[in-house]
């Protein structure tokens, strides 16, 4: 395809290309765990060397998509309980989660840095129920654009985002949301401090944005406010329905890691919190 669109992103924003590529690769499999033809369409229009960066990492795309599907399930569960609820995706990049979970009644906000949203606006438009908002996690000036707490309930998502921030920033951002939208849910993923220290994850070797924040225990996050951890999952805890859809080579790899190196499967976790401000607030 000629006349591909140029990409100009900062170091952290550029990492949005990783999940985009992963979803496109997974969509191309015969029995994908998720389908995202829009990701394939977007990649075809971008002047970006995906092959140079990712050609040797195709097997890792499945694991990234498995994380995405597990988060999708939590979003769908929230919407079954609150069909008209509000979902806020922080660090949305070029994600298409709205297209996967839209029930026709929800309200949705895509929040990201200015350079990321400038790219996103080439492919997505605001609608009556979905709007893009410029904002950085850890700041609170963008929260007012989401409307009052009474417009909820609210579910916030930060997938593959907070690991690039300092612990102080993560703590400040969660407590700002807790103060503005007490009782809201927040879905995030964490890496252990050991995994952060290794910095050996192959998918990241061509990027300049380092992993910064590591978390070994969600109880650490609970202590930052009056937050309550509702669920935590690792690759050791896949629901049965998802396990049955894992390709054989990945099932064999998981079995080996479960038996020989379970810390690898535990190093990346997903959490769902109910956010509450500190009791003294």
């Amino acid at each position: 395809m000629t006349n591909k669109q140029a990409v100009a992103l900062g170091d952290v924003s550029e990492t949005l290309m990783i999940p985009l590529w992963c979803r496109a690769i997974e969509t191309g499999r015969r029995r994908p765990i998720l389908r995202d033809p829009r990701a394939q369409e977007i990649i075809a229009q971008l002047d970006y060397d995906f092959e140079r960066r990712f050609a040797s990492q195709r097997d890792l795309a499945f694991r990234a998509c498995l994380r995405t599907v597990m988060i999708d399930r939590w979003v769908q569960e929230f919407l079954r309980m609150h069909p008209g609820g509000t979902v806020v995706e922080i660090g949305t990049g070029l994600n298409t989660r709205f297209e996967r979970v839209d029930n026709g009644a929800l309200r949705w906000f895509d929040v990201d840095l200015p350079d990321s949203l400038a790219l996103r606006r080439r492919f997505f438009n605001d609608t009556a129920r979905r709007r893009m908002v410029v904002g950085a996690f850890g700041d609170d000036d963008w929260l007012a654009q989401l409307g009052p707490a009474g417009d909820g309930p609210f579910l916030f998502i930060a997938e593959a985002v907070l690991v690039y921030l300092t612990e102080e920033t993560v703590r400040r951002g969660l407590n700002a949301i807790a103060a503005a939208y007490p009782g809201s849910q927040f879905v995030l993923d964490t890496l252990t401090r050991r995994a952060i220290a290794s910095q050996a994850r192959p998918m990241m070797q061509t990027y300049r944005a380092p992993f910064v924040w590591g978390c070994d225990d969600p109880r650490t996050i609970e202590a930052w406010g009056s937050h309550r951890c509702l669920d935590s999952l690792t690759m050791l805890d896949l629901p049965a329905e998802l396990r049955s859809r894992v390709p054989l080579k990945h099932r064999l790899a998981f079995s080996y890691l479960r038996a020989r190196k379970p810390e690898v499967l535990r190093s990346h976790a997903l959490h769902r919190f109910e956010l509450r401000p500190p009791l003294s607030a």
Side-chain angles (χ1 to χ4, degrees), residues 137-138 162 169-179 186 188 213 221 224 227 273 275-276:
F137 189 82
L162 305 188
T169 301
V170 175
R171 179 172 181 167
R172 184 173 66 247
L174 288 177
N175 285 344
I177 292 172
F186 198 106
L188 68 149
W213 176 56
I221 300 172
W224 292 347
H227 313 316
F273 284 87
L275 298 186
R276 294 284 184 182

Side-chain angles (χ1 to χ4, degrees), residues 2 6 12 24 34 120 130 141 200 220 239:
T2 59
V12 172
L34 65 76
R120 183 177 182 84
R130 183 187 195 183
D141 53 347
T220 301

Side-chain angles (χ1 to χ4, degrees), residues 108-111 126-127 129-133 145-147:
W108 191 282
F109 292 92
D110 287 305
V111 180
D126 288 345
T127 68
R129 292 189 296 110
R130 183 187 195 183
R131 186 157 66 88
M132 286 174 262
V133 172
Q145 298 184 58
L146 308 182

